[in-house]
Amino acid sequence: MTVRDNSDELRYEIEEDGEVRGFIQYRRDDDGAITMVHTDVEPKWEGHGVGSALVQGALDDVRAHGLKVRPQCPFVAAYIRRHPEYEEIVQT
């Protein structure tokens, strides 16, 4: 699976075999942070680790670009609580 930033749609997408299996909708804040608003995984892929792989890929991309994240989405916030190595990029 590949996670990519579809900046035209303001969302991170996870795809495999040309099929988008899920996305995280986000907005870019005036202070440069990325607010992750909503995560959606196609129902047939729920429970297969797609959501976690999507969040990990998105957070890794945010970190690689030297940005901060605001986890408004409960799924993203829960992922960060379970993976404290991402706390350093959380903007409050």
Side-chain angles (χ1 to χ4, degrees):
M1 290 184 278
T2 303
V3 176
R4 68 182 179 95
D5 180 8
N6 181 346
S7 58
D8 291 341
E9 298 290 327
L10 292 176
R11 67 188 207 170
Y12 281 96
E13 298 173 339
I14 188 165
E15 64 176 284
E16 187 171 31
D17 299 327
E19 176 187 6
V20 174
R21 296 185 175 190
F23 63 87
I24 299 173
Q25 198 71 44
Y26 68 81
R27 70 173 179 262
R28 294 188 181 273
D29 298 330
D30 291 339
D31 63 0
I34 304 292
T35 296
M36 294 188 176
V37 179
H38 175 72
T39 301
D40 188 29
V41 173
E42 290 294 321
K44 70 180 181 179
W45 297 112
E46 290 178 359
H48 291 89
V50 173
S52 292
L54 171 60
V55 174
Q56 179 182 1
L59 293 174
D60 286 346
D61 185 70
V62 168
R63 178 186 281 154
H65 286 92
L67 301 172
K68 298 286 186 181
V69 65
R70 286 190 179 94
Q72 182 177 339
C73 169
F75 187 81
V76 174
Y79 183 91
I80 292 171
R81 280 192 303 276
R82 289 190 315 273
H83 297 88
E85 64 269 23
Y86 291 106
E87 288 178 3
E88 68 188 35
I89 64 169
V90 173
Q91 178 75 35
T92 56

